[in-house]
Amino acid sequence: MEETNLTDLIHKKTFNITTFGCQMNEHDSEIMAGMLIEKGYEQTADRSKADIVIFNTCSIRENADKRFFGTLGQLKHRKEEEGDAFTVCVCGCMMQQQHIIDQLKSKYPWVDVVYGTHNLHHLPELLDNLYEEKKKQLEIWDDAEGIVENLPAKRLFKHKSFVNIMYGCNNFCSYCIVPYTRGRERSRRPEDIVSEVRRLTLDGVKEVTLLGQNVNSYKGQSASGEAADFTDLIYMLAEIEGLERIRFMTSHPKDLSDKLIEAFRTCDKLCKYIHLPVQAGSDKVLKEMNRKYTGQSYLELVDKLRRACPDIAISTDIIVGFPGETESDFEDTLNLVRKVGYDSAFTFLYSVRQGTPAAAREDQVPEEVKHERFNRLVEEINSSSAEKNKAYIGRVEKVLVDGVSRNRDNAYEGRTDSFKLVNFEGPEGLEGQIVPVRITGANTFSLVGQLAEE
Ligand code: 5AD
Ligand code: SF4
């Protein structure tokens, strides 16, 4: 009889990862893919044909939970038919919640491998164990184990990359599940980040997006004991040859320092764009959300940013229908939105998250009221976005070309320094380059242009 060892088995297996949620999750998926490819597995874009299906879950809102369970349920039939030849893995934020694990065990006992956000680097080992011992693998950790360095990642783009600089969040906004699923703040060492970015640039990366739930509270310490805050880190990275653009996600307004604002003026490589979640405009609601700033102090920050960098694009996150939100509170949000003039915004209906302080409140806003307010807010944001975009017409913008356009035939798409999506026509071979584009038209969510002379 022919003998097959584990390596042969792995070589024949394909995997597919479905990612729910934010950039952190997307990057975690890139790391999982990198590890599996290194082990000899093969990535496939077709979930229905993959031998191993991985779901990287998000718990930020209830509909993310529901969507995940809906998609997972669709695999039951295939699992019954194919048995051990088909592997189902679930991981990510939802798996850090006990009630989700309980639900998985009782309703989806056929899932093969379950792990959390802190131990995703164990995936290859968990699969080895599964195949060797023919036993389901469940492994969830808390955040006590610290940071694991030097994990490979399979990037989506050759010319740009996400880079984690910190993990977790200490803010405990009263609506948010993240501090419970991602644990307390942990910052990577500055030299580890610098060497990762250096390696990436040698591999063709021109733009990095530094990731953390609240990058402004990055507190790096080198092995020799030297401290570096977020702005120090940006300046260190700016020195790397070949790196042309530095972005970051996400900032908490309470920690946005004057030093960072000044960097927008002085550091050419720092992109003129900031995502600055405001969440609400009413001081009462902001207080109950535990956000630690007021509408006025937020507006002052915006003012400072624009004084330091007049062209800076600003986007935000807003929650509609936080418990106890009155019509007048909501109007404060609308007023703030009008005053800021956002380039874009992610708007969310407040969603009850079990275990957070706001979930226990009895004054939840009725769904129809939330929806009605949500629609009014979206209208306001869209008109602001359209107006901001219109101001670009006639300008020549430097665009980092991501690839062929998903929206237009025979066109490229890319991003300006200020993170505007641009569709434009140009000759072959521009992917991954930074090129000048004359903006000729503007829509609510994107710009249209033509390749310009250098
Ligand atoms: N309901 C609605 N939106 C939420 N967010 C976080 N928690 C909730 C919740 N329970 C939004 C916030 C945050 C973004 C990532 O998700 O606006 O900034
Ligand atoms: Fe959640 Fe607030 Fe932390 Fe953002 S800062 S992840 S909203 S707790």
Side-chain angles (χ1 to χ4, degrees):
M1 207 170 73
E2 205 187 333
E3 234 181 73
T4 50
N5 65 29
L6 199 61
T7 321
D8 293 334
L9 199 75
I10 286 172
H11 275 290
K12 292 182 194 111
K13 284 202 186 285
T14 56
F15 70 93
N16 172 276
I17 307 181
T18 304
T19 310
F20 298 87
C22 65
Q23 283 96 342
M24 296 270 190
N25 272 17
E26 271 176 47
H27 189 46
D28 284 350
S29 292
E30 290 181 341
I31 291 171
M32 288 190 272
M35 289 187 302
L36 292 184
I37 290 166
E38 206 166 69
K39 285 280 274 182
Y41 295 93
E42 219 176 277
Q43 191 164 20
T44 167
D46 187 349
R47 186 164 68 210
S48 68
K49 296 215 174 75
D51 302 314
I52 305 168
V53 166
I54 302 166
F55 289 110
N56 188 3
T57 63
C58 167
S59 57
I60 198 98
R61 282 172 297 278
E62 197 182 9
N63 59 2
D65 285 17
K66 284 196 187 134
R67 264 179 57 213
F68 160 65
F69 278 122
T71 319
L72 181 65
Q74 290 165 13
L75 295 185
K76 186 176 178 203
H77 184 61
R78 195 177 152 198
K79 185 70 194 167
E80 278 168 356
E81 283 198 337
E82 296 181 29
D84 286 350
F86 176 45
T87 307
V88 181
C89 308
V90 295
C91 63
C93 291
M94 280 174 72
M95 301 310 130
Q96 295 292 142
Q97 297 170 276
Q98 190 55 48
H99 71 276
I100 299 283
I101 300 293
D102 296 343
Q103 197 172 338
L104 266 178
K105 280 187 185 161
S106 67
K107 295 202 187 130
Y108 305 84
W110 42 270
V111 170
D112 299 290
V113 180
V114 181
Y115 52 103
T117 54
H118 304 298
N119 56 338
L120 63 89
H121 58 285
H122 272 195
L123 172 60
E125 212 177 304
L126 291 169
L127 286 174
D128 284 355
N129 293 345
L130 175 77
Y131 297 138
E132 276 166 12
E133 295 169 20
K134 305 244 171 292
K135 213 171 86 199
K136 295 196 185 302
Q137 301 291 307
L138 171 89
E139 190 194 75
I140 311 289
W141 292 359
D142 62 22
D143 58 0
E145 296 288 325
I147 292 171
V148 183
E149 288 293 343
N150 296 320
L151 297 174
K154 169 77 172 60
R155 294 197 306 276
L156 201 55
F157 294 97
K158 181 113 184 82
H159 55 276
K160 64 180 187 181
S161 181
F162 293 128
V163 175
N164 281 321
I165 64 162
M166 61 188 299
Y167 303 89
C169 179
N170 290 351
N171 290 314
F172 290 93
C173 300
S174 63
Y175 49 81
C176 185
I177 196 78
V178 168
Y180 309 90
T181 58
R182 292 256 170 196
R184 295 299 77 72
E185 280 177 9
R186 282 112 49 220
S187 294
R188 284 178 72 194
R189 291 213 158 121
E191 63 267 34
D192 290 339
I193 300 169
V194 169
S195 60
E196 179 177 343
V197 174
R198 203 168 272 138
R199 246 183 293 124
L200 287 168
T201 55
L202 291 175
D203 194 37
V205 164
K206 292 187 173 137
E207 177 185 293
V208 289
T209 302
L210 309 178
L211 293 180
Q213 303 296 345
N214 177 15
V215 291
N216 302 132
S217 64
Y218 171 78
K219 281 185 202 67
Q221 198 177 32
S222 68
S224 58
E226 262 171 279
D229 66 17
F230 182 53
T231 317
D232 298 332
L233 179 68
I234 287 178
Y235 282 115
M236 283 181 212
L237 296 174
E239 289 192 0
I240 297 176
E241 213 181 305
L243 182 67
E244 305 206 29
R245 287 177 165 189
I246 303 169
R247 302 187 182 284
F248 58 87
M249 270 289 211
T250 289
S251 298
H252 195 306
K254 80 175 165 59
D255 298 313
L256 178 59
S257 65
D258 287 349
K259 190 170 161 189
L260 178 60
I261 293 175
E262 186 55 21
F264 280 110
R265 189 205 310 271
T266 55
C267 180
D268 284 345
K269 291 186 181 181
L270 181 61
C271 289
K272 310 295 177 252
Y273 166 70
I274 187 165
H275 184 67
L276 195 61
V278 68
Q279 312 297 0
S282 143
D283 290 348
K284 182 201 88 188
V285 173
L286 285 170
K287 191 157 196 303
E288 290 173 1
M289 286 177 161
N290 193 27
R291 292 291 291 177
K292 302 200 166 73
Y293 54 84
T294 62
Q296 189 52 37
S297 66
Y298 183 94
L299 287 171
E300 280 160 20
L301 274 182
V302 168
D303 224 46
K304 269 197 213 168
L305 281 163
R306 290 203 168 125
R307 263 184 278 132
C309 179
D311 272 350
I312 196 164
I314 304 178
S315 63
T316 200
D317 291 343
I318 302 174
I319 298 176
V320 173
F322 182 79
E325 183 191 73
T326 63
E327 173 61 23
S328 146
D329 292 326
F330 175 66
E331 278 166 19
D332 287 346
T333 299
L334 282 181
N335 280 333
L336 182 133
V337 163
R338 273 182 213 121
K339 280 187 191 147
V340 174
Y342 284 109
D343 288 84
S344 64
F346 295 106
T347 45
F348 306 105
L349 293 163
Y350 168 74
S351 166
V352 173
R353 302 288 56 213
Q354 230 182 77
T356 62
R361 287 182 57 160
E362 282 173 5
D363 50 353
Q364 300 290 334
V365 176
E367 285 304 313
E368 65 276 14
V369 176
K370 277 194 219 172
H371 281 275
E372 185 265 342
R373 288 180 190 161
F374 183 86
N375 293 340
R376 280 154 70 198
L377 179 63
V378 168
E379 215 171 281
E380 191 65 48
I381 297 280
N382 286 352
S383 84
S384 171
S385 301
E387 199 174 308
K388 289 277 165 188
N389 284 350
K390 237 198 250 162
Y392 278 72
I393 295 176
R395 288 202 217 167
V396 174
E397 288 287 315
K398 290 234 164 99
V399 172
L400 175 55
V401 186
D402 285 333
V404 291
S405 169
R406 283 163 296 177
N407 305 327
R408 285 184 146 221
D409 289 341
N410 307 319
Y412 283 111
E413 67 179 31
R415 297 273 175 178
T416 64
D417 188 295
S418 59
F419 204 56
K420 301 275 179 192
L421 178 66
V422 185
N423 289 295
F424 70 99
E425 281 161 30
E428 262 179 46
L430 295 187
E431 190 168 331
Q433 292 191 42
I434 297 179
V435 296
V437 174
R438 183 175 302 283
I439 307 302
T440 53
N443 305 311
T444 308
F445 304 111
S446 65
L447 303 172
V448 184
Q450 258 156 16
L451 193 64
E453 298 281 306
E454 286 282 353

